[in-house]
Amino acid sequence: MLGFLGTVTGMILSFYQMATAENVTPSLLAGGIYQALLTTAFGLVVGIFAYIGYNVLVANVEKVVFKMERTWTCCKNQVIN
């Protein structure tokens, strides 16, 4: 969400500068566009690392659940036999 917020504020800044300027030049818009692209890239980097971390966490939880189920099955079989 941080990347998306930066994108929106960067574009708002670009359009505001375009609306208030008498003579619109590319360098006038470059600051807002730069801000939008930079925060979008930062948001993507954070999102990708969060996704990888989530997948690692889910894999570890599944391993623990599998071990718990296996232990329960062994204990149940010993009590029944």
Side-chain angles (χ1 to χ4, degrees):
M1 291 305 289
L2 180 64
F4 183 67
L5 178 64
T7 302
V8 171
T9 57
M11 295 312 293
I12 288 171
L13 177 64
S14 292
F15 281 112
Y16 176 75
Q17 289 174 345
M18 196 166 49
T20 57
E22 292 181 16
N23 187 13
V24 179
T25 61
S27 62
L28 181 67
L29 302 177
I33 294 171
Y34 172 76
Q35 177 185 350
L37 292 174
L38 188 64
T39 54
T40 300
F42 177 73
L44 285 171
V45 168
V46 170
I48 289 168
F49 281 117
Y51 182 70
I52 291 169
Y54 169 78
N55 285 332
V56 168
L57 181 65
V58 166
N60 287 338
V61 168
E62 287 177 356
K63 287 178 187 176
V64 169
V65 168
F66 177 75
K67 288 178 183 178
M68 290 172 63
E69 288 175 348
R70 187 177 59 199
T71 303
W72 166 246
T73 303
C74 288
C75 291
K76 181 180 72 169
N77 290 339
Q78 286 181 359
V79 168
I80 290 175
N81 294 330

